[in-house]
């Protein structure tokens, strides 16, 4: 195995996009100066052009597609509402083809230059403890149930060539709390309950039992703005006894208006010696200069601008 990089590694995690991706995001990401980018999916409702733009980014990247990325294909009600002819187009497959090896769902992407391997969880996850949309997973991935899915993720982790693992999911793993405000907690009626993915949890446990170093598990899907209350946000990070850090990056909307122009949201993460040492929510301008930062773990990165109030983009 390649030795762990002796210098700090900096990553940008891009939470649920929901059609909020522009050419300025590409410039901002380049200016932020990270070593690689992790995308947790939900680019839009089978938004092929957004996927095309992200696939063209020149820096190292890993992507997992989310439930909205199969919005008109995975479910009977979605197929009924599909705005295009599914007998002539397959936009799910088109997104997968555009991303190629960068899409890590049920796979492993090794970055030897960084000493990292990125392991993909279940792609297109809708979250929760039940196995849903089995026909879609059977036909697309030859996966037949939750345990089969866990085995596929664990097998991908077993193929990793690098000493430090990152698990990338659209939804987070089961087992991180059952309160509505928990990192994967159910914040709609009936309130409460753990809405994490059991297959992802099982695969992470297997990797840890193999003594693989799981530094980071990152995901989205469960938005930080809660549905049932406005006086607080969802828990953003967690950790376990093995030292694995869990980060929910679903800050939505991820573009906001500022008096100097639009700001773009990223989660900035630093790894050193195979462990996450810092994580922060950052708002940057189109050059990548950090205007506002909130530390989630350790010290935040340095601000390049003085922060002023943000206005959500309609």
């Amino acid at each position: 195995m390649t030795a762990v990089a002796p210098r700090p590694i900096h990553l940008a995690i891009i939470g649920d996009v929901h059609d909020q991706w522009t050419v300025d995001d590409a410039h901002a990401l380049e200016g932020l100066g990270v070593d690689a980018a992790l995308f947790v999916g939900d680019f839009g409702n089978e938004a092929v052009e957004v996927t095309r733009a992200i696939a063209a980014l020149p820096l190292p990247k890993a992507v997992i597609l989310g439930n909205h990325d199969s919005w008109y294909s995975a479910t009977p009600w979605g197929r009924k509402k599909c705005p295009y002819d599914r007998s002539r187009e397959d936009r799910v497959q088109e997104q997968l083809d555009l991303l190629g090896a960068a899409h890590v769902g049920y796979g492993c992407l090794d970055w030897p230059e960084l000493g990292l391997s990125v392991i993909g969880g279940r792609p297109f996850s809708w979250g929760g403890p039940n196995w849903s949309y089995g026909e879609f997973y059977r036909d697309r991935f030859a996966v037949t149930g939750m345990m089969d899915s866990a085995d596929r993720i664990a097998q991908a982790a077993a193929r990793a060539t690098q000493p430090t693992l990152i698990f990338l999911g659209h939804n987070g793993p089961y087992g991180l709390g059952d309160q509505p405000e928990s990192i994967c907690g159910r914040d709609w009626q009936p309130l409460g309950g753990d809405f994490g993915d059991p297959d992802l949890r099982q695969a992470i446990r297997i990797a840890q039992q193999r003594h693989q170093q799981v530094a980071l598990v990152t995901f989205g899907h469960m938005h930080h703005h809660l549905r049932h209350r406005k006086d607080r946000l969802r828990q953003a990070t967690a950790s376990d006894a093995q030292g694995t850090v869990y980060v929910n990056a679903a800050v939505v909307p991820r573009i906001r208006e500022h008096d100097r122009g639009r700001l773009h949201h990223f989660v900035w993460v630093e790894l050193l010696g195979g462990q996450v040492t810092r994580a922060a929510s950052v708002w940057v301008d189109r050059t990548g200069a950090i205007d506002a930062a909130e530390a989630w773990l350790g010290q935040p990165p340095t601000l390049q601008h003085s922060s002023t109030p943000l206005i959500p983009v309609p």
Side-chain angles (χ1 to χ4, degrees):
M1 284 191 176
T2 304
V4 176
R7 64 174 180 86
I9 301 298
H10 295 132
L11 306 174
I13 308 170
I14 296 85
D16 299 29
V17 172
H18 292 299
D19 295 303
Q20 289 200 324
W21 185 266
T22 72
V23 66
D24 284 346
D25 277 295
H27 295 317
L29 187 55
E30 181 181 6
L32 196 54
V34 295
D35 295 288
L38 304 170
F39 290 84
V40 305
D42 271 6
F43 294 157
N45 291 347
E46 300 188 15
V48 171
E49 292 310 311
V50 177
T51 305
R52 190 186 309 279
I54 289 169
L57 291 169
L59 81 169
K61 57 188 173 293
V63 177
I64 191 160
L65 292 171
N67 58 302
H68 279 268
D69 303 312
S70 61
W71 196 250
Y72 301 119
S73 301
T75 69
W77 57 264
R79 291 191 288 271
K80 288 179 181 178
K81 297 179 179 181
C82 185
Y84 64 89
D85 185 350
R86 295 184 67 256
S87 69
R88 304 182 68 175
E89 292 184 72
D90 185 345
R91 294 188 183 176
V92 169
Q93 189 60 49
E94 189 172 352
Q95 292 175 93
L96 292 170
D97 290 343
L98 283 167
L99 292 166
H103 186 260
V104 295
Y106 288 138
C108 172
L109 180 60
D110 296 313
W111 285 332
E113 66 281 7
L114 302 178
L116 300 174
S117 290
V118 183
I119 312 303
R122 180 188 353 142
F124 306 104
S125 173
W126 292 69
N130 299 321
W131 184 252
S132 302
Y133 315 119
E135 182 180 348
F136 175 81
Y137 285 102
R138 181 198 66 203
D139 294 345
R140 296 276 177 177
F141 302 103
V143 172
T144 58
M146 196 71 79
M147 290 306 300
D148 191 15
S149 182
D151 287 344
R152 284 285 295 274
I153 302 167
Q155 288 167 16
R159 296 195 298 272
T161 65
Q162 301 307 301
T164 302
L165 303 190
I166 294 172
F167 278 80
L168 180 62
H170 176 57
N171 189 48
Y174 191 85
L176 297 177
D178 60 3
Q179 297 304 301
E181 301 84 8
S182 296
I183 194 167
C184 295
R186 182 185 176 110
D187 64 333
W188 62 91
Q189 297 295 334
L191 283 174
D194 190 333
F195 208 66
D197 286 352
D199 49 350
L200 183 57
R201 179 196 191 187
Q202 178 66 10
I204 293 165
R205 282 185 167 182
I206 291 171
Q208 291 172 333
Q209 289 167 0
R210 290 192 197 114
H211 303 292
Q212 291 179 289
Q213 187 167 9
V214 182
L216 173 66
V217 179
T218 189
F219 47 89
H221 189 55
M222 307 293 278
H223 294 185
H224 284 218
H225 287 282
L226 297 162
R227 304 185 198 192
H228 70 299
R229 60 189 298 179
K230 305 300 180 186
D231 60 328
R232 62 172 296 181
L233 298 174
R234 180 181 300 282
Q235 176 186 354
T237 64
S239 60
D240 64 22
Q242 287 72 37
T244 300
V245 173
Y246 300 81
V247 174
N248 180 338
V251 173
V252 179
R254 60 168 305 275
I255 298 178
R256 295 182 179 181
E257 203 66 48
H258 190 278
D259 60 1
R260 288 187 294 276
R262 291 193 168 190
L263 296 178
H264 308 259
H265 185 267
F266 300 92
V267 177
W268 180 91
V269 172
E270 179 182 272
L271 292 90
L272 182 61
Q275 294 185 322
V276 175
T277 52
R278 296 198 285 169
S281 167
V282 301
W283 292 93
V284 307
D285 67 16
R286 69 182 305 275
T287 72
I290 298 172
D291 188 271
E294 178 188 357
W296 287 353
L297 176 69
Q299 294 296 313
T302 303
L303 300 185
Q304 279 82 23
H305 295 309
S306 59
S307 181
T308 56
L310 300 170
I311 305 170
V313 173

